[in-house]
Amino acid sequence: MKPFDFIQPQTTDAALAALAEHSPNVRILNGGTDYVVELKHVAQSPGVVVDISRLQDLKGIEITDAGLRIGAGVTHSEIMADPLIAEHAPAMIDAAHTVGAVQTRNLGTLGGNLVTCVPSMDSGPTLLALDAQVTILGPKGSRQIPLSEFFVFVRKTALEPDELLLEIIIPKENLGKPAGFIKFGLRKGQALALVNAASAFRIEDGKFKDVRIALGAVAPVVIRAAKAEAILEGQAVSEDLINEAAKIAVTEASPIDDFRASKEYRNDLIEVGARRTMQAALAAANA
Amino acid sequence: MTDITLTVNGEEKTASVPPETTLLKMLREDLNYTGAKLGCDVGDCGACTVLVDGIAVNACLMLAGQAEGKNIETIEGLSTLEEYHPIQKAFEDVASLQCGFCGPGMIMSTKALIDQGEELTRDDIKDALSGNLCRCTGYTKIIEGVIDAYEEITGKKVPETNPRAA
């Protein structure tokens, strides 16, 4: 690793002050499962590394007036063990369980997974399907934006160099919303997603309502399959419609060809993944 | 330089290292705990697994500065020269290890798993060890060793399943 200065603030105010002072030659570190690997390979020093792992404001999972609030510094292992998440957003547990292996899940954080903004992130699809919001802190105070606007491009988010991701909020109306998540990798453990997907909807009067279908690893950022969602929205519940929507979802993605899988294979996975997560959401709705 | 004070296997230790030092490098080169191994150096192989405040982490992915004030457990803390830890004894009894390079990581992951105090199935064990690679590919005997250690330590039984079916 190239030499850098290391700062470990104990409070969020101190962290923001450090970011403001050293911006733009500053990077944030938390679990390190991605960034420490990057540090080992970059040719240029980041200047200053601010370790936010001690910030209590980034910890905790709780129900607030806004909904289910998950601190950006909560680890994937903490998500898997949390009773509030099990009750209100169980698909998040399935997603957290597919991240890396135990050691990675013990260090890696939900916020880190989102901020890293790789297309194959495992936290993105479920959170998009549940209309998650994120709160960002910066020198001008805090701002809240939809997660869909947070993702900008591969490894690029709406965060400015002097800003910090504070928390992820699943809106109150979506707590307990039926949802399903799936990930396809080359093996069960330590695998990057070839494709991952999440679907969520309610069933009201026998009809699909508030349909969300999100796909990962198939475009520069995690995307919603809006045309596929529209196939279901407001229609009477049917397996045939789910199958049709899954086929349409493929047309909305632009997966790459690489050494892990061909574009053709990923397209097949998109259809299967979209279908199975819609079926899982339907099963959850009927449970 | 960053001054670091932490506890390793119950003893307070201090070191002064450059900020770009990983916990693994500090343990091995500054504090002489060479049990944890440097394998892939990117968090895939688990050879560097140590426990930090009781949870298994890849020491190659944590900066030394992040371990300030933490309680670290390494393979050196498990046994004395006279007596093996029950996990080590179980691994020896069923010959879980061939070259042994993955052993410290495998055993520390096993310790974290058993310390959680939950009822385990064979699938739980495979899941808990999925971040530890053995390139002698002796996974069958490693899992047998974990099962024996768990049963010895807790007095509980791992439900019988056909390992080929799982």
Side-chain angles (χ1 to χ4, degrees):
Chain A
M1 280 184 260
K2 298 282 178 256
F4 51 78
D5 289 328
F6 179 78
I7 302 177
Q8 189 177 65
Q10 303 296 317
T11 66
T12 304
D13 284 345
L16 289 170
L19 292 174
E21 183 185 346
H22 300 288
S23 174
N25 299 314
V26 61
R27 286 288 300 269
I28 295 172
L29 168 69
N30 198 341
T33 56
D34 187 83
Y35 187 49
V36 172
V37 177
E38 186 182 324
L39 275 173
K40 291 178 185 186
H41 294 110
V42 288
Q44 206 177 350
S45 165
V48 177
V49 171
V50 177
D51 173 27
I52 58 169
S53 64
R54 303 292 163 112
L55 306 185
Q56 286 307 308
D57 291 346
L58 271 59
K59 290 289 177 187
I61 300 170
E62 66 234 327
I63 299 286
T64 67
D65 290 343
L68 179 63
R69 182 252 183 213
I70 306 154
V74 168
T75 67
H76 303 294
S77 293
E78 287 166 345
I79 287 170
M80 286 170 63
D82 190 79
L84 287 175
I85 296 204
E87 183 182 348
H88 298 292
M92 281 188 70
I93 292 181
D94 297 333
H97 197 167
T98 68
V99 175
V102 174
Q103 294 94 322
T104 2
R105 298 196 287 266
N106 283 343
L107 285 179
T109 63
L110 181 63
N113 199 236
L114 301 177
V115 167
T116 301
C117 208
V118 293
S120 61
M121 66 164 72
D122 292 314
S123 307
T126 312
L127 291 175
L128 264 197
L130 294 173
D131 305 326
Q133 301 271 320
V134 295
T135 309
I136 295 168
L137 295 181
K140 285 170 257 163
S142 82
R143 61 188 176 113
Q144 200 170 79
I145 60 172
L147 183 61
S148 53
E149 291 174 22
F150 184 74
F151 300 141
V152 175
F153 194 66
V154 180
R155 290 194 177 268
K156 172 105 185 83
T157 69
L159 272 187
E160 299 294 337
D162 55 0
E163 289 183 321
L164 189 63
L165 179 63
L166 173 69
E167 63 193 8
I168 296 91
I169 295 168
I170 296 175
K172 195 171 234 172
E173 65 270 20
N174 285 348
L175 299 188
K177 186 174 180 180
F181 170 83
I182 198 166
K183 168 177 171 175
F184 299 102
L186 293 177
R187 55 191 173 270
K188 272 190 193 166
Q190 296 284 43
L192 287 181
L194 301 175
V195 168
N196 55 22
S199 296
F201 47 68
R202 273 180 271 276
I203 306 293
E204 280 183 20
D205 303 325
K207 291 175 179 159
F208 292 110
K209 191 163 182 299
D210 301 327
V211 181
R212 301 285 184 274
I213 301 167
L215 303 169
V218 301
V221 297
V222 182
I223 58 166
R224 291 247 314 263
K227 288 181 196 159
E229 292 172 356
I231 300 273
L232 298 191
E233 189 68 44
Q235 301 297 313
V237 171
S238 97
E239 279 281 335
D240 286 347
L241 271 187
I242 286 179
N243 294 340
E244 188 186 334
K247 283 190 191 347
I248 297 295
V250 178
T251 67
E252 299 181 73
S254 49
I256 56 167
D257 253 316
D258 73 357
F259 63 96
R260 288 195 184 87
S262 64
K263 181 183 171 89
E264 187 185 12
Y265 182 59
R266 284 176 206 259
N267 277 330
D268 285 347
L269 291 178
I270 293 166
E271 182 180 341
V272 175
R275 186 174 68 231
R276 288 190 193 162
T277 56
M278 284 185 272
Q279 288 167 339
L282 185 58
N286 291 330
Chain B
M1 300 295 269
T2 307
D3 292 322
I4 291 151
T5 303
L6 73 180
T7 306
V8 184
N9 302 328
E11 288 180 40
E12 188 176 293
K13 297 282 174 182
T14 58
S16 188
V17 297
E20 62 274 16
T21 307
T22 62
L23 171 61
L24 179 65
K25 188 174 164 73
M26 179 175 73
L27 284 172
R28 289 179 56 84
E29 298 179 14
D30 295 276
L31 300 174
N32 292 323
Y33 292 94
T34 54
K37 299 291 183 258
L38 175 65
C40 68
D41 207 17
V42 291
D44 283 336
C45 79
C48 64
T49 303
V50 301
L51 308 194
V52 176
D53 290 346
I55 62 168
V57 309
N58 291 315
C60 77
L61 294 184
M62 182 178 270
L63 294 184
Q66 296 186 286
E68 166 69 30
K70 301 279 188 184
N71 187 15
I72 315 293
E73 292 170 71
T74 72
I75 189 79
E76 287 91 342
L78 292 195
S79 61
T80 62
L81 285 176
E82 290 75 36
E83 194 175 13
Y84 278 164
H85 185 278
I87 301 171
Q88 293 169 311
K89 181 77 172 65
F91 271 52
E92 186 191 43
D93 285 348
V94 299
S96 297
L97 303 176
Q98 187 174 321
C99 86
F101 193 85
C102 71
M106 287 283 180
I107 289 170
M108 295 315 287
S109 285
T110 302
K111 181 168 192 295
L113 176 68
I114 295 176
D115 283 355
Q116 283 174 6
E118 295 184 9
E119 305 255 332
L120 298 182
T121 64
R122 187 178 277 267
D123 279 350
D124 293 332
I125 292 168
K126 288 163 77 173
D127 188 47
L129 293 185
S130 64
N132 292 86
L133 304 187
C134 163
R135 288 303 80 184
C136 307
T137 66
Y139 294 106
T140 302
K141 285 178 180 292
I142 289 169
I143 291 167
E144 280 175 24
V146 177
I147 290 173
D148 287 357
Y150 166 75
E151 294 184 346
E152 168 70 21
I153 291 168
T154 66
K156 296 172 186 162
K157 295 291 279 183
V158 171
E160 284 293 330
T161 48
N162 177 357
R164 288 173 190 279

